[in-house]
């Protein structure tokens, strides 16, 4: 029987952080940067108590959610577009801006979805070198040509955990051709307490040539509901609404996301928890000569260069004991490193005691 022809893409499919180990029922998943504390109790309460109407389509414009976002972040609801995860917003941006043969400039270790969606619409992906696993503004500017349409940056970046300072970001926008869209992915902004950091949203709210990405999947703990948002000029958001799938964000997601923004107590608790354990785990691992980026988001990129064991060795040993980290070889092609998500108190303590057991000094 004949299968009709379809397009062929030269793309490595996205491989998410693993969540299962053969023959183990219970695992500790520290591989996908999900929230250590789950979702906000307020969000949980509203989706379990409210009589949910699921037989009707959701609000295609996510109006209540956009209003809640504009209140929480002091921004204009008309410049917000919601997506089924920020993932979908990345996809829509690529569809809106990129023609075949257009160029997109990405830092070499940037989040994988930028290259995937760019290639799907036929654009050419150009990688800018990083310096010591940090985005290099200089190299990005070097890679710009007349064909460049978009520069994507996650700040802080996943999986490297490094970030451009406020000054560096402003410098990039200033020196980048005005006609090029700068997309700043603030996926981890809520966790950031570093003094020299400013989120893309805080810096560029009023810039028509910057587009911001935000998500409810990380600190807000709603990864499974798939909800995120983009923020940009009215013109861009209007055009995105034309190509947007009509009911892209489901009703439960809209409700939970709006509610979670109001839960200041949970937000502060999450930030504190993350800082405390990220610092502790970083220090703990240094005893084994495993070093990492300075604390930023809710994950650490562990470097095994100076350790007498390899990343792969620890990865396999932990996996056998039901603790899953993210290999950075899949997709990112970063050797001898692992990405570790900060977990709950119980998970973190178990992680540390298991490392101690496995890497006897
Ligand atoms: C996790 C992550 C996202 C994805 O978020 P969704 O809203 O779940 O699609 C986007 N960008 C970066 C940098 C991430 O790490």
């Amino acid at each position: 029987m004949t299968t009709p022809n379809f397009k062929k893409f030269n793309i490595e499919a996205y491989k998410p952080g693993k969540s299962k180990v053969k023959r183990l029922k219970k695992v500790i998943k520290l591989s996908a940067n999900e929230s250590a504390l789950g979702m906000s109790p307020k969000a949980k309460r509203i989706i379990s108590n409210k009589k949910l109407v699921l037989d009707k389509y959701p609000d295609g414009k996510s109006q209540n959610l956009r209003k809640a976002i504009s209140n929480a972040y002091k921004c204009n609801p008309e410049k917000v577009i919601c997506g089924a995860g920020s993932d979908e917003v990345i996809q829509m941006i690529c569809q809106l801006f990129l023609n075949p043969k257009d160029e997109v400039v990405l830092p070499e270790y940037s989040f994988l979805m930028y290259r995937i969606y760019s290639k799907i619409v036929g654009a050419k992906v150009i990688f800018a070198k990083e310096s010591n696993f940090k985005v290099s503004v200089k190299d990005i500017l070097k890679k710009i040509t007349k064909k460049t349409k978009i520069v994507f940056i996650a700040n802080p970046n996943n999986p490297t955990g490094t970030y451009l300072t406020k000054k560096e970001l402003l410098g990039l926008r200033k020196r980048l051709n005005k006609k090029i869209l700068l997309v700043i992915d603030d996926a981890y902004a809520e966790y950031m307490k570093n003094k020299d950091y400013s989120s893309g949203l805080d810096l560029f709210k009023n810039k028509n040539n910057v587009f911001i990405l935000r998500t409810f999947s990380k600190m807000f703990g709603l990864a499974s509901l798939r909800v995120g948002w983009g923020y940009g000029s009215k013109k861009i958001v209007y055009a995105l609404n034309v190509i947007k799938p009509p009911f892209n964000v489901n009703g439960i997601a809209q409700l939970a996301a709006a509610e979670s923004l109001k839960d200041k107590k949970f937000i502060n608790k999450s930030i504190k928890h993350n800082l405390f354990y990220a610092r502790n785990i970083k220090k703990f691992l240094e005893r084994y000569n495993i070093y990492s980026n300075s604390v930023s988001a809710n994950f650490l990129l562990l470097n095994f260069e100076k350790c007498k064991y390899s990343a792969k060795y620890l990865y396999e040993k932990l996996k056998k004991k039901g603790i899953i980290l993210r290999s950075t070889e899949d997709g990112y092609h970063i050797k001898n490193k692992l990405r570790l998500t900060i977990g709950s108190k119980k998970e973190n303590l178990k992680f540390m005691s298991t490392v101690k057991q496995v890497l006897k000094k």
Side-chain angles (χ1 to χ4, degrees):
M1 222 193 298
T2 309
T3 299
N5 282 333
F6 48 82
K7 295 197 276 181
K8 301 281 190 296
F9 296 97
N10 179 20
I11 290 173
E12 239 182 287
Y14 184 78
K15 280 194 208 147
K18 291 194 179 11
S19 57
K20 287 197 181 95
V21 182
K22 256 188 216 156
R23 285 185 291 275
L24 284 186
K25 264 207 194 124
K26 262 183 90 178
V27 295
I28 294 178
K29 185 187 178 197
L30 303 174
S31 63
N33 297 349
E34 291 137 324
S35 154
L37 305 180
M39 70 165 99
S40 130
K42 265 185 190 270
K44 204 178 275 175
R45 212 172 303 133
I46 201 161
I47 59 178
S48 24
N49 291 351
K50 190 145 178 159
K51 283 203 186 75
L52 296 168
V53 183
L54 299 179
D55 57 343
K56 298 283 189 285
Y57 286 109
D59 171 12
K61 294 183 181 150
S62 300
Q63 299 199 72
N64 287 335
L65 174 55
R66 281 170 39 235
K67 210 177 285 164
I69 288 169
S70 88
N71 285 334
Y73 293 97
K74 311 272 177 290
C75 60
N76 184 347
E78 286 171 51
K79 293 168 77 176
V80 175
I81 181 153
C82 296
S86 50
D87 216 47
E88 189 185 43
V89 186
I90 300 170
Q91 182 179 30
M92 291 193 280
I93 281 286
C94 289
Q95 289 172 330
L96 185 66
F97 279 86
L98 301 174
N99 285 307
K101 311 241 161 40
D102 281 345
E103 292 179 2
V104 169
V105 175
L106 308 177
E108 59 182 323
Y109 303 121
S110 56
F111 184 55
L112 296 170
M113 296 319 297
Y114 313 144
R115 67 193 74 172
I116 294 176
Y117 288 129
S118 299
K119 284 184 185 174
I120 291 175
V121 295
K124 194 170 165 195
V125 175
I126 311 286
F127 291 105
K129 288 218 160 27
E130 298 194 13
S131 108
N132 208 7
F133 294 93
K134 181 181 158 172
V135 170
S136 159
V137 169
K138 201 167 141 194
D139 209 69
I140 288 175
L141 293 168
K142 234 194 254 172
K143 296 288 156 61
I144 301 298
T145 72
K146 282 195 184 115
K147 294 183 189 158
T148 310
K149 280 282 182 64
I150 307 180
V151 172
F152 280 101
I153 284 178
N155 206 45
N157 182 52
N158 169 17
T160 55
T162 55
Y163 63 94
L164 292 179
T165 63
K166 171 182 174 177
K167 211 171 143 192
E168 288 166 325
L169 263 190
L170 290 171
L172 170 61
R173 182 58 277 179
K174 210 169 176 181
R175 291 159 70 195
L176 191 63
N177 184 313
K178 284 200 271 298
K179 289 186 192 155
I180 298 172
L181 182 72
L182 175 61
V183 176
I184 301 177
D185 185 342
D186 278 350
Y188 301 94
E190 285 84 4
Y191 288 110
M192 294 296 288
K193 289 294 144 203
N194 314 55
K195 288 218 166 61
D196 55 356
Y197 169 87
S198 282
S199 74
L201 188 67
D202 284 338
L203 289 179
F204 300 114
K205 246 178 224 178
N206 300 316
K207 277 276 193 201
N208 291 342
N209 55 8
V210 179
F211 192 85
I212 309 298
L213 297 165
R214 291 270 174 156
T215 181
F216 287 96
S217 301
K218 303 292 156 66
M219 200 196 67
F220 292 106
L222 303 179
S224 179
L225 287 178
R226 311 304 304 127
V227 52
W229 50 287
Y231 193 83
S233 86
K234 278 189 194 166
K235 262 193 194 164
I236 294 177
V237 169
Y238 185 88
L240 288 173
N241 272 302
V242 174
I243 63 170
K244 181 178 83 61
F247 306 107
N248 59 332
V249 184
N250 74 72
I252 303 177
Q254 291 183 35
L255 194 65
E259 195 67 13
S260 69
L261 288 172
K262 295 180 202 153
D263 199 342
K264 293 283 181 309
K265 202 169 131 192
F266 176 78
I267 294 171
N268 290 331
K269 192 171 150 190
S270 301
I271 296 168
K272 264 199 196 143
H273 172 94
N274 187 61
L275 270 178
F276 178 79
Y277 282 104
R279 284 175 183 151
N280 265 290
I281 293 172
K282 180 178 163 66
K283 218 186 257 164
F284 165 81
L285 290 171
E286 283 171 2
R287 286 196 236 154
Y288 301 91
N289 291 322
I290 300 168
Y291 295 92
S292 61
N293 54 291
S294 57
V295 170
S296 56
N298 67 333
F299 60 90
L300 296 168
L301 184 68
L302 313 182
N303 181 354
F304 288 74
E305 221 164 84
K306 299 209 168 100
C307 179
K308 67 176 173 182
Y309 300 94
S310 69
K312 197 167 172 81
Y313 178 85
L314 184 63
Y315 177 86
E316 293 297 338
K317 286 282 183 189
L318 290 175
K319 197 172 115 186
K320 274 200 191 114
K321 294 180 184 286
I323 301 175
I324 313 174
L325 272 60
R326 176 69 146 96
S327 156
T328 50
E329 292 205 15
D330 283 351
Y332 296 106
H333 306 292
I334 300 175
K335 291 213 172 86
N336 209 20
K337 292 187 166 47
L338 294 173
R339 193 190 67 196
L340 167 75
T341 305
I342 306 305
S344 66
K345 176 179 178 183
K346 196 172 154 195
E347 290 169 336
N348 295 333
L349 296 179
K350 180 77 186 168
F351 166 77
M352 289 192 275
S353 67
T354 310
V355 169
K356 206 167 174 175
Q357 199 183 0
V358 171
L359 306 184
K360 290 165 234 94
K361 278 246 299 199

